[in-house]
Amino acid sequence: MKCESCNKKHATVHLTEIVGSVKKERHLCEECAQNINAQLTKIPSPTEILTSLINQVAPEINEMSKVACPVCGISYLDFRSHGRLGCPMDYTIFRKGLIPLLEKMHGSTQHVGKVPSKAGKELIKKNELMQLRNELNKAVEKEDYERAADLRDKIYELSGDNSNED
Amino acid sequence: MNFQATIAMKISDLTDNTGEWLRGTGPESDIVISSRIRLARNVARYPFLSRANAKQKKEIEGLIRERIRESEITQDLFYINLADVSPVDRLFLVERHLISKEHAGGEGIRGVAFGKSETTSLMVNEEDHLRIQVIRSGFELRETWKTIDEIDNKLEKKINYAYSSRFGYLTSCPTNVGTGMRASVMLHLPALGMTHHIEKVFNAVVKLGLVVRGLYGEGTQVAGDLYQISNQFTLGKSESEIIEIIEGVIPRITSYERMARKALISENREQLEDRVWRSYGMLKVARTISSDEIMHLLSQVRMGVNLGIITDIEMKTLNELFILTLPGHLQKLEGRELTSAQRNIIRATYVRKRLEKIDSLQ
């Protein structure tokens, strides 16, 4: 009898497979049987299971796992296990990993609050405009058109005296 | 006044008084005990404290301490180096809400600056390089924000804060990034607790992105029906918007508490009055009281005063007793370390004397 799989060698291994209520016999040569056996017993290692799990839950961890901050020296994984960042630069270095995290924590990733006076007038204006636009959206949603018109004028006024403003 | 006052002197000075936020005045002060805001700030070009070495920590502490002194935030501000202070003194400062539990239990060079009124405190080298806090009596978040914003403005002229236009004020923990602001309101809600409506309130509050905590913040137990409600998110909303959200919720909770109190009275006035008077009586006669028990008794009496059942005790006295009978305060009062059993006796004696004084005045 020839091997069912390669059709070349003599079949020396005889397997009986039961799938549901169907019984199936297979006749294979030693080499082919070993290949099939290897496939059947290929169970992922714990590390592989963990990696695929992390990929599902927080894909950024895997991607960021080799990133470390050149300034303070902590790695992204150090941060994830202790929950504390090492220096202000980490917000730039770990940006990719932090953004989905911040989104989960705060529902947003863009600061719209206070700006230190040292950070410059332009930035203050930019933030003010952003806040006004938010308020405008809210007013429109509430169908408060009087307030919306008011806010629109303020936005024009603020952005108008600087033609470079986007 | 000397900015770096001798610690022993300063802390014993405090035992005779309490902070202004305990006065029991201000809007809605029958239910809202206090309004508090804190801002987290870090100095640019230094690592956060978890990665700073001893030399850097010393530099940061020295720099911020000097800037605070120069900024003339309030006239009578003084600074305490916490590394020089005993554990009982640190506990005392935690109970006063002048430092956080984490700051008390921290390591290395760190300190706190505060004024006589205890309205403002500035923690140096806590989780972040600087944490500014302002507390006021009653429901006064707007005023509190105004005060803290001014202090922050004075300091930012002298300190280069770590800041990015995308993420705002950069903090050691990303849960504080953005505004770096935590605004919280301390509420006394005994009737909602008694009528088992409290969970409903909190479920609604949590849906708005707010958090409910006990008297001493994160992870502390709820005692004396005192709860703190504060914002969870710090990024993506301005300081004003965050305050607006809390301001929108609090009046609903206070009116719900008032409704629950009315319901308790109309259902069974005698029973409620009996509960209140029994608690008052217990405070006047007991020879040993645990810290849990006193919180419960004070809570009942406080509600009794609000409802006009008890009229001979001031709200300020009651608010103060919540703080003055805490373990750190009792040990400062006695000037020595005490076991829990010893504290229970001294606590009962202290309260009895305070209340006898009221009786003798009448």
Side-chain angles (χ1 to χ4, degrees), chain B residues 63 114 249 275 277:
Chain B
L63 184 143
F114 53 90
V249 172
R275 273 179 93 143
W277 281 114

Side-chain angles (χ1 to χ4, degrees), chain A:
Chain A
M1 189 190 287
K2 280 204 172 156
C3 169
E4 286 177 9
S5 180
C6 63
N7 238 336
K8 284 174 197 157
K9 288 186 184 160
H10 189 70
T12 52
V13 181
H14 308 281
L15 294 169
T16 310
E17 264 180 2
I18 298 170
V19 182
S21 56
V22 184
K23 191 171 149 192
K24 195 177 154 194
E25 284 193 357
R26 305 189 72 182
H27 310 282
L28 305 160
C29 69
E30 206 155 315
E31 210 175 310
C32 291
Q34 256 176 20
N35 280 340
I36 283 177
N37 200 30
Q39 274 171 22
L40 284 174
T41 54
K42 200 182 174 218
I43 295 168
S45 71
T47 330
E48 282 171 312
I49 295 175
L50 219 68
T51 314
S52 73
L53 207 78
I54 289 171
N55 268 330
Q56 250 178 22
V57 182
E60 79 280 1
I61 292 186
N62 217 15
E63 217 186 310
M64 296 290 300
S65 65
K66 288 189 181 72
V67 181
C69 174
V71 179
C72 68
I74 73 160
S75 70
Y76 184 73
L77 289 181
D78 286 339
F79 157 61
R80 287 306 299 249
S81 58
H82 298 111
R84 298 284 182 278
L85 291 160
C87 74
M89 190 52 91
D90 292 351
Y91 281 93
T92 311
I93 308 286
F94 302 149
R95 191 187 183 98
K96 213 169 179 179
L98 275 168
I99 284 189
L101 210 63
L102 293 170
E103 184 68 51
K104 257 183 245 168
M105 281 173 189
H106 304 282
S108 167
T109 63
Q110 175 65 55
H111 176 59
V112 293
K114 190 172 175 177
V115 177
S117 55
K118 281 192 179 170
K121 283 183 181 149
E122 274 309 299
L123 202 59
I124 294 176
K125 198 158 88 179
K126 205 173 132 197
N127 271 33
E128 226 171 284
L129 273 170
M130 199 139 41
Q131 263 189 60
L132 286 172
R133 286 192 190 115
N134 277 347
E135 279 178 46
L136 177 65
N137 286 341
K138 268 192 229 161
V140 172
E141 264 173 43
K142 283 185 193 159
E143 301 186 12
D144 184 351
Y145 297 114
E146 207 172 307
R147 175 149 176 75
D150 241 25
L151 288 163
R152 184 203 53 205
D153 292 347
K154 270 189 197 160
I155 291 170
Y156 281 155
E157 202 182 304
L158 246 180
S159 55
D161 54 21
N162 182 355
S163 52
N164 297 327
E165 186 66 50
D166 55 6

